[in-house]
Amino acid sequence: MAAIYRRELKGYFNTMIGYVIIVFLLAFSGIYFMAYNLNYGYPYFSYVLSGGIFMLLIAAPLLTMRSFAEERKNRTDQLLLTAPVSLFQIVMGKYLAMITILGIPCAVYLLFPLMIKMQGTAYILSDYLSILVYFLLGCVYIAIGMFVSSLTESQIIAAIGTFGILMVIQLWSGIIGFLPSSAMANVFGIAFLLSLLVWAVWRMTQNWVICLILEIVNLGVNGIVYAVKPEVYENLLSTICGELNLIDTFNSIASNNLLDVSGIILYLSLIVFFVFLTMEMIQKRRWS
């Protein structure tokens, strides 16, 4: 894994992508820092990260688009898969290289609260926690982008697909507001989402027997629960989707100085989930 990590990290700096992303994040953060903290005197560096969180929507697709799409296009993925390393080591080597690129500007961010402290009042602990949550959110975005890159051999499609998913995450709070509240609409919505998960399982396993059983359980359980106690489904979609709002975990630090532990667990769970999905997609292509 160490060899793959070094190879990938070196590749990002040989192609200038690593330098561009680092400079991009630091430059925009520096502009926000001067505007918010130096000119207007806000004592929280978390304001800077909150105002510039959209930068991850651009940095993550640029960082992840080549991770597996380029290997697949150049047909070097087969050489990599036949190397004497496990699939987990391949995926994690690439993933760790990408989060290292993100970690460099985040490490520089640690200096900004100290600069604020030199000017007067500062909230070091709150700012450092916001930097940690910002980094973890970036790690989630990178895991999503890596998975999208494993689906295609086009870097452009991988970048656009990742950006589209991240934009939906960014607008998640507004999207939730359009969800229906009635029990009937929610039961159909829940059944549809679970059917999509069953379809995803079929795409990865190609086992129609297991997927058929899962779909029968999905429709049967939802139908029975709705018939017995329909009020359970009222606003259920909004409640579930609200728990998946990734931006709220960061905003709880940036705006309220509260660390959402459940949100951190959600971040880590999503990282593991998308790394697993990436491994499954590559494994499927290996034996196809």
Side-chain angles (χ1 to χ4, degrees):
M1 185 170 69
I4 295 174
Y5 170 78
R6 289 193 297 268
R7 168 183 174 267
E8 291 297 316
L9 192 60
K10 183 178 179 181
Y12 281 111
F13 288 110
N14 285 341
T15 59
M16 297 295 294
I17 294 178
Y19 294 109
V20 169
I21 291 175
I22 292 171
V23 171
F24 170 75
L25 291 175
L26 289 178
F28 273 82
S29 298
I31 293 172
Y32 273 88
F33 176 71
M34 288 189 293
Y36 282 126
N37 301 121
L38 299 185
N39 288 346
Y40 293 104
Y42 288 123
Y44 291 100
F45 180 69
S46 55
Y47 289 144
V48 173
L49 298 179
S50 180
I53 199 171
F54 73 91
M55 296 183 296
L56 291 176
L57 274 68
I58 301 173
L62 292 176
L63 189 58
T64 60
M65 65 181 185
R66 65 180 290 271
S67 55
F68 285 101
E70 185 182 45
E71 300 274 6
R72 188 173 178 180
K73 181 179 180 181
N74 296 333
R75 300 295 186 266
T76 56
D77 56 336
Q78 297 303 318
L79 294 175
L80 190 63
L81 293 173
T82 55
V85 291
S86 67
L87 182 58
F88 175 78
Q89 291 175 319
I90 293 172
V91 174
M92 287 305 299
K94 287 177 171 288
Y95 181 69
L96 291 176
M98 289 185 284
I99 66 173
T100 298
I101 301 296
L102 175 64
I104 293 174
C106 288
V108 178
Y109 292 160
L110 297 175
L111 301 176
F112 288 106
L114 299 179
M115 296 181 189
I116 298 174
K117 181 67 175 177
M118 294 173 60
Q119 303 297 321
T121 303
Y123 300 89
I124 304 295
L125 179 59
S126 176
D127 285 341
Y128 279 3
L129 286 176
S130 67
I131 293 171
L132 172 62
V133 176
Y134 178 87
F135 173 72
L136 291 176
L137 179 61
C139 290
V140 174
Y141 285 2
I142 289 173
I144 294 172
M146 183 175 66
F147 168 66
V148 175
S149 181
S150 70
L151 300 176
T152 178
E153 64 180 26
S154 171
Q155 296 186 44
I156 301 299
I157 293 176
I160 294 174
T162 302
F163 179 80
I165 294 173
L166 300 186
M167 180 60 69
V168 170
I169 293 174
Q170 186 73 20
L171 301 175
W172 195 250
S173 296
I175 294 173
I176 293 174
F178 290 99
L179 294 176
S181 59
S182 67
M184 180 174 291
N186 276 265
V187 71
F188 280 112
I190 295 294
F192 175 73
L193 292 177
L194 291 176
S195 295
L196 288 180
L197 289 178
V198 172
W199 176 80
V201 172
W202 178 79
R203 289 285 299 174
M204 289 187 292
T205 64
Q206 297 294 314
N207 191 322
W208 66 269
V209 176
I210 293 177
C211 294
L212 179 61
I213 294 173
L214 290 175
E215 185 64 15
I216 292 173
V217 171
N218 166 33
L219 298 178
V221 170
N222 278 291
I224 293 172
V225 174
Y226 178 74
V228 174
K229 198 172 183 180
E231 61 270 16
V232 171
Y233 287 96
E234 293 180 0
N235 293 309
L236 185 58
L237 273 176
S238 299
T239 302
I240 294 175
C241 291
E243 295 297 325
L244 298 176
N245 194 331
L246 303 184
I247 306 299
D248 275 358
T249 302
F250 176 80
N251 288 337
S252 66
I253 286 286
S255 302
N256 304 318
N257 302 318
L258 297 174
L259 180 60
D260 185 0
V261 178
S262 62
I264 300 297
I265 295 174
L266 175 62
Y267 284 179
L268 297 177
S269 300
L270 288 175
I271 291 171
V272 172
F273 177 69
F274 281 104
V275 168
F276 170 76
L277 287 183
T278 302
M279 292 174 59
E280 288 298 310
M281 291 306 302
I282 297 171
Q283 184 78 346
K284 176 185 173 183
R285 193 162 67 248
R286 168 186 276 181
W287 300 112
S288 61

